[in-house]
Amino acid sequence: RILAKRPVIHAKKMEPMHVPLECTLEELYMGCTKTIKVDKVELNAATGLTTPVTDELVVQVKRGFHNGTEVTFESRGNQEPGTLPADIVFTVKELKHDQFVRQGANLLCTVPVTVLDTLVGCTVSVPTLDGRTLSIPINEIISPDYVKAVGGEGMPVARGANLELEHSFGDLVLSFSAVYPTKLADVQKEMLKTAFTVPSKLNPTQKEACGSLQTAFTFPYYEKPAPVKKRFSKPKHINL
């Protein structure tokens, strides 16, 4: 007598539960831990009945996570009779930042500068996501399409599979927005015209004239106060 083998019936796994995980750019830069409450249905194995419950899950957000990164908790989701429990999948949703725009591993930032800064250069201060402040010298003329890349000041990128080990970093990419004056007096306009017609090399008379002009129009104009002389009392003579 030949006995036929019964077919093995595999329980079907329930559809995963998708939960958005909102993260600031600072949290994605530094890494953080989030405790998230998830409403789900739990199966009572003894009675076969399901009950709505709220589960708390601790999610590790590691440095360099990006928009769309998924963190899966296997079999921690909804349960029903005759099925395998669902997975809970947290999907990173990167929140909009007031200062930076993330582009891959790079951080894009627009810095306001004056028209004078665009022509003569300046030093701009840029706060970072980890609480530092960068002082970045700009020595070139800032044209409308000029950008300044600062290496290693972008988002962290994990080296290899282990996100907790060493990281490399993207770039901080600065663009500039020139702030124009609302109006100029006639004398200011004339001085600007003069500035653009000054030759690259000056003769002694021209150098002296430029020096006088610079002194006359240095603001705020003030005379340096005379140094304060400290008064010392003459020590009294003591007879021993």
Side-chain angles (χ1 to χ4, degrees):
R1 183 182 177 184
I2 300 175
L3 298 176
K5 292 184 178 180
R6 293 183 179 180
V8 178
I9 300 175
H10 296 283
K12 184 179 179 181
K13 191 176 182 70
M14 295 187 65
E15 291 294 320
M17 299 173 60
H18 292 278
V19 181
L21 183 65
E22 294 187 343
C23 297
T24 66
L25 205 51
E26 285 84 357
E27 290 172 333
L28 297 175
Y29 183 92
M30 298 296 297
C32 66
T33 300
K34 288 178 172 285
T35 301
I36 309 296
K37 292 183 178 181
V38 179
D39 295 327
K40 64 178 187 178
V41 176
E42 194 171 80
L43 175 66
N44 187 320
T47 63
L49 300 177
T50 57
T51 307
V53 296
T54 299
D55 198 2
E56 283 192 354
L57 298 175
V58 178
V59 184
Q60 297 290 336
V61 178
K62 296 182 179 180
R63 301 190 73 180
F65 272 13
H66 53 78
N67 207 38
T69 298
E70 294 184 345
V71 180
T72 301
F73 287 76
E74 294 186 358
S75 303
R76 295 291 299 271
N78 290 327
Q79 301 174 2
E80 285 185 358
T83 62
L84 296 176
D87 296 338
I88 298 179
V89 181
F90 292 94
T91 304
V92 171
K93 181 182 179 182
E94 183 181 300
L95 298 177
K96 185 178 179 180
H97 198 270
D98 292 336
Q99 182 175 3
F100 298 110
V101 174
R102 184 177 185 177
Q103 190 177 78
N106 294 336
L107 290 174
L108 311 184
C109 178
T110 300
V111 181
V113 292
T114 67
V115 175
L116 181 62
D117 292 337
T118 66
L119 298 174
V120 302
C122 59
T123 297
V124 296
S125 296
V126 181
T128 63
L129 294 173
D130 58 354
R132 296 172 294 127
T133 299
L134 301 177
S135 293
I136 304 168
I138 309 296
N139 300 317
E140 301 82 11
I141 290 179
I142 302 175
S143 60
D145 57 350
Y146 173 82
V147 293
K148 177 78 171 182
V150 183
E153 292 295 346
M155 292 296 291
V157 180
R159 293 177 178 171
N162 192 336
L163 296 177
E164 296 177 356
L165 296 179
E166 291 186 68
H167 290 75
S168 59
F169 290 82
D171 295 339
L172 171 63
V173 181
L174 302 180
S175 58
F176 299 87
S177 174
V179 180
Y180 288 83
T182 56
K183 61 181 180 180
L184 289 174
D186 289 341
V187 65
Q188 292 173 311
K189 295 177 182 178
E190 291 303 319
M191 293 184 71
L192 282 174
K193 293 177 183 178
T194 303
F196 282 98
T197 57
V198 172
S200 58
K201 292 184 179 181
L202 305 179
N203 61 41
T205 302
Q206 291 169 330
K207 288 182 180 179
E208 183 179 354
C210 287
S212 300
L213 188 65
Q214 184 178 14
T215 302
F217 290 96
T218 299
F219 296 99
Y221 178 76
Y222 65 93
E223 293 183 359
K224 292 184 179 179
V228 178
K229 294 182 179 180
K230 294 183 179 180
R231 296 182 178 180
F232 296 94
S233 58
K234 188 176 181 180
K236 295 179 180 180
H237 181 71
I238 301 177
N239 294 323
L240 299 178

